[in-house]
Structure formats: structure tokens, C-alpha cells
Amino acid sequence: MTSCLVSCRSIYTPTTPNTPLFQNKKQIQIESTAFTNGLNLKTAYTPINHLAIQLNGQYSQEFDQPNPNRKYHQYLEGAIGTYYCFKNNSVIELYGGYGQGASKFGDPIISNETLLVRAKGHYEKYYAQINFGSHKLIDDGLIGVCIRAGNIRYSYTDANFNWLINTTADHYALEPYFFINNKITKRLSFVGNFGLTMIQGLSNDPYAATMRTSILNIGFGLRLSFGNKTE
């Protein structure tokens, strides 16, 4: 069996963003997407007006290699934020979040040991995110943009660069996204995310590189929505 999507060839691959675009209190959203960065599970809830919380996770694993050579990436994060719904049914959201993850990376395609082709470790992520979209730009759905900026603090327990083992490096990242949500039924929607990962550590000097990532991040999936929306 071939590998589980392509994120196993990355030290760090971000989750596709959670963009609920809430309109009223007591709304709940549950979403699952998958493609270039593995399986994403995202939840969001607004207990009162203008307050929203999120819990998101991600997992991918390569199945065509036996243990202990199997590559993987796993991550869990939480976020809290606020939202504002305009009269034209457009919504802006602001979130701050924190997460922890772990990964084992190996690139079987490249055998040149002067490049970063093997790494293992765990990381912390601090980020801020802004979502903007409208429920009126397309029929029975929404469309919008998201910009997420943060720091990935990765601690390396193994790497083909000896100087990198048992060190910790900060990687500042900027991730712009375009997203779409199209209703299938009253509560079920199709969702799509298309974005880029721009991150420090992708050095032109192969001996100085501390990061490998999937620059293009695409996800497709389904969303369940519960609760009352603004009329």
C-alpha cells in the first residue's frame, strides 16, 4: 500500500484552517477534511455572542514502510477568538491558538546526505488567525480568505545532520488560504481549502536547512453545522 497522502514527506505540515464564520451564539460546527496534509478533524463552538472556541487535530501516517521506519505526523491544537457579523452577512473572525505535535520525516526519493532528508522530533505552535468571508457571495454557501501567522518551535531528537540533534529551532510561518463552503443539506456542507505555507528554515544553503514542508496545502471534506444563524 502506498503512503497516506503526502504529508509524511514533511517535518511540519499545517492543518487546513478552521473557518466557521459564526453568525450567532449557540452554534456548533464539526468538520473533517483530507488530502495533501493527511486527515484533519476540526470543531468549533460559540457559547455566547462574539466568543468562539476551537479544538482541531491532524494525523497522517505512511503505510508502505514497516515499523520503526514508518513516517508519521500528528498534531492537536486549541484556539479562542471573537467574530463579528456585518449587515450584508459578511463575517470577520480573529483567533489565537496553541498546539503541540510530533513527526518523523524521511525522504526516500533524495539520497544526498548533504540535504536534510531525515528528521524526528516534537514541536509547539503559537499562532494568530484572521478569517473573512461572506454567506452571500455564492448561493447556499460561503466563500472567503484566511491568513494565519505563527511560530513553530521544533525540538529535534534525530536528524541526518548531527549538529541538529538535541537542538530546538524557531520557524516563523505565514499561511494564506482561500476557502469555500457549499451546502448539500440544511446542516451538511462540502468544504474546500487551498493555501500556501511560507516558513523559515527552507534555506538555500543545504547545510543550514532546519525545515522541510509541503508548500501547497489543499483539503476537501464535509462540515456539520448545528444551531441558529442570524436571520
Side-chain angles (χ1 to χ4, degrees):
M1 185 181 292
T2 57
S3 63
C4 175
L5 310 180
V6 302
S7 63
C8 296
R9 292 182 183 170
S10 298
I11 297 174
Y12 164 75
T13 301
T15 57
T16 48
N18 194 343
T19 56
L21 294 189
F22 285 129
Q23 294 176 279
N24 199 11
K25 63 182 179 180
K26 303 296 184 181
Q27 287 184 262
I28 302 173
Q29 293 188 5
I30 302 171
E31 180 180 315
S32 179
T33 59
F35 191 37
T36 64
N37 68 340
L39 177 65
N40 293 256
L41 181 62
K42 295 170 277 188
T43 62
Y45 174 56
T46 170
I48 61 176
N49 280 328
H50 309 300
L51 176 66
I53 54 177
Q54 297 184 3
L55 182 64
N56 311 311
Q58 176 195 42
Y59 181 77
S60 64
Q61 179 174 287
E62 192 174 59
F63 292 106
D64 59 353
Q65 294 290 335
N67 287 324
N69 296 321
R70 187 168 290 168
K71 287 79 176 178
Y72 62 87
H73 187 278
Q74 55 196 28
Y75 174 70
L76 183 67
E77 71 180 18
I80 187 169
T82 187
Y83 61 92
Y84 182 77
C85 184
F86 298 92
K87 291 183 179 180
N88 64 356
N89 226 10
S90 297
V91 181
I92 187 169
E93 297 180 320
L94 298 170
Y95 290 95
Y98 170 80
Q100 292 188 357
S103 67
K104 181 178 181 181
F105 159 75
D107 194 338
I109 297 176
I110 300 176
S111 59
N112 187 346
E113 288 296 308
T114 64
L115 300 175
L116 184 60
V117 295
R118 187 183 79 250
K120 181 181 179 181
H122 53 88
Y123 65 93
E124 294 181 294
K125 179 179 178 179
Y126 307 84
Y127 69 94
Q129 177 176 316
I130 181 169
N131 308 325
F132 179 79
S134 175
H135 294 263
K136 292 297 186 180
L137 293 179
I138 59 174
D139 294 335
D140 295 325
L142 63 88
I143 193 170
V145 294
C146 164
I147 299 177
R148 186 168 56 193
N151 178 40
I152 296 90
R153 181 165 294 166
Y154 201 102
S155 298
Y156 300 83
T157 58
D158 186 32
N160 63 290
F161 292 162
N162 290 332
W163 62 268
L164 200 53
I165 300 174
N166 296 325
T167 66
T168 298
D170 288 323
H171 304 88
Y172 299 102
L174 182 66
E175 303 162 21
Y177 281 86
F178 165 82
F179 59 87
I180 189 170
N181 180 336
N182 194 40
K183 280 190 176 181
I184 300 174
T185 67
K186 180 181 179 180
R187 301 199 182 278
L188 183 66
S189 301
F190 165 82
V191 292
N193 299 272
F194 311 86
L196 299 174
T197 303
M198 297 176 285
I199 188 170
Q200 285 185 330
L202 307 176
S203 176
N204 292 326
D205 179 358
Y207 293 99
T210 58
M211 180 56 63
R212 291 281 298 276
T213 191
S214 301
I215 296 176
L216 183 64
N217 192 352
I218 303 172
F220 302 101
L222 297 173
R223 173 186 291 182
L224 281 171
S225 301
F226 304 93
N228 296 321
K229 295 183 178 181
T230 301
E231 296 295 335

